[in-house]
Amino acid sequence: MAAAEPAVPALPDGGGVGAAAPSGMVLFCFSVFARPSSGDQIDMHRKFVVQLFAEEWGQYVDLPKGFAVSERCKVRLVPLQIQLTTLGNLTPSSTVFFCCDMQERFRPVIKYFGDIISVGQRLLQGARILGIPVIVTEQYPKGLGSTVQEIDLTGVKLVLPKTKFSMVLPEVEAALAEIPGARSVVLFGVETHVCIQQTALELVGRGIEVHIVADATSSRSMVDRMFALERLARTGIIVTTSEAVLLQLVADKDHPKFKEVQNLIKASAPESGLLSKV
């Protein structure tokens, strides 16, 4: 279909389209996004098709390949309805580990806390072997204590105190920006339905793929944990296990670090009550 040059109707709510750049690129300039007819706000993390209003047909049409705008025209964004599947591939160069609030005061109240400490330590050992950056937070450490002694924090990138439930602090965002190619976060700790859930949702909102390690994540209530994991999985967040994460990161028995990682998983993760409640 040839690129039409429609008349120039005014756009609603102050939206507009600028003239084409000299290179032929289309420059879009929206001062306000109108609400869709459903009443929901436009979610800019969804996939959209740009459509042009064609005067000769009196309707919107998809922009043809190579289309360039030479004058003001009327366009709209149409969200794709197809559910896109998250593949969840992990590579060491694009992955960061987040260890959330594994603190001393939680020991007596978090279900199977000893088991998730054991698995969390295994994950941090794997991160050191594979050169994966690790970010650790501690929720109000003045009152809740520091990270438990069993968790070895040697070589971690950041250890930050927080009062916000989510780990997505300004310092964390700055650290992620400094890691070239970071696109996946492996997340574990406590509590599943509070700090883990809020961290995961914020990261996804920023375009980061999130993997929650089910055998290294718990809550005080197994009901809260179960429904949080179900909710997160429905949003496309990947709920996985420590062994799956570590073996996906090496990917090949010929990987130079495979033997070291294999030694970490020779003993299976604890068969705690956590896994029967996922």
Side-chain angles (χ1 to χ4, degrees):
M1 180 178 73
E5 293 194 0
V8 187
L11 286 182
D13 299 314
V17 179
S23 65
M25 293 178 59
V26 180
L27 302 180
F28 292 94
C29 179
F30 293 89
S31 59
V32 177
F33 277 117
R35 287 175 180 266
S37 58
S38 65
D40 296 326
Q41 293 282 6
I42 287 179
D43 179 358
M44 293 312 294
H45 299 287
R46 293 184 65 184
K47 303 292 184 182
F48 290 86
V49 171
V50 181
Q51 292 187 328
L52 169 76
F53 186 79
E55 291 284 351
E56 60 269 43
W57 295 308
Q59 64 183 17
Y60 284 93
V61 297
D62 291 352
L63 287 181
K65 186 176 181 180
F67 185 90
V69 176
S70 59
E71 59 185 71
R72 287 176 60 86
C73 60
K74 187 175 181 180
V75 297
R76 69 178 182 184
L77 299 179
V78 179
L80 293 177
Q81 300 301 316
I82 299 172
Q83 183 67 38
L84 300 177
T85 301
T86 301
L87 295 178
N89 291 325
L90 287 172
T91 59
S93 62
S94 63
T95 300
V96 183
F97 280 18
F98 276 29
C99 176
C100 184
D101 306 350
M102 301 278 272
Q103 293 161 254
E104 193 58 44
R105 285 287 293 274
F106 292 129
R107 190 186 296 270
V109 294
I110 297 295
K111 293 289 192 291
Y112 306 102
F113 193 63
D115 291 339
I116 68 168
I117 289 174
S118 171
V119 177
Q121 174 59 10
R122 178 196 304 220
L123 287 165
L124 294 187
Q125 287 177 279
R128 281 192 292 274
I129 290 169
L130 297 171
I132 294 171
V134 177
I135 293 174
V136 178
T137 58
E138 297 173 341
Q139 181 73 19
Y140 186 54
K142 182 179 178 181
L144 298 174
S146 300
T147 302
V148 296
Q149 291 185 351
E150 297 97 313
I151 298 285
D152 182 1
L153 299 182
T154 302
V156 304
K157 185 175 182 65
L158 282 177
V159 180
L160 292 171
K162 67 182 178 71
T163 56
K164 179 182 177 182
F165 294 134
S166 170
M167 291 180 69
V168 185
L169 307 171
E171 299 91 334
V172 171
E173 293 190 271
L176 286 174
E178 292 171 0
I179 301 170
R183 61 175 177 78
S184 302
V185 164
V186 171
L187 174 61
F188 56 97
V190 299
E191 287 188 74
T192 315
H193 65 296
V194 187
C195 297
I196 296 294
Q197 177 170 277
Q198 292 185 31
T199 299
L201 294 174
E202 279 208 56
L203 288 171
V204 168
R206 286 161 170 76
I208 301 291
E209 180 183 273
V210 178
H211 298 243
I212 294 177
V213 186
D215 52 336
T217 304
S218 190
S219 295
R220 289 168 295 147
S221 159
M222 296 303 288
V223 171
D224 283 331
R225 177 181 182 274
M226 176 181 69
F227 281 101
L229 291 177
E230 287 183 0
R231 175 194 174 182
L232 292 168
R234 285 197 301 271
T235 67
I237 290 165
I238 297 151
V239 180
T240 184
T241 65
S242 57
E243 185 168 322
V245 165
L246 292 171
L247 290 178
Q248 190 173 18
L249 286 165
V250 294
D252 191 321
K253 77 173 188 62
D254 292 330
H255 189 287
K257 301 292 185 180
F258 172 72
K259 288 292 185 184
E260 292 178 71
V261 171
Q262 184 184 44
N263 288 336
L264 289 179
I265 62 172
K266 276 184 176 176
S268 296
E271 290 288 344
S272 70
L274 287 174
L275 301 184
S276 65
K277 301 291 184 180
V278 174

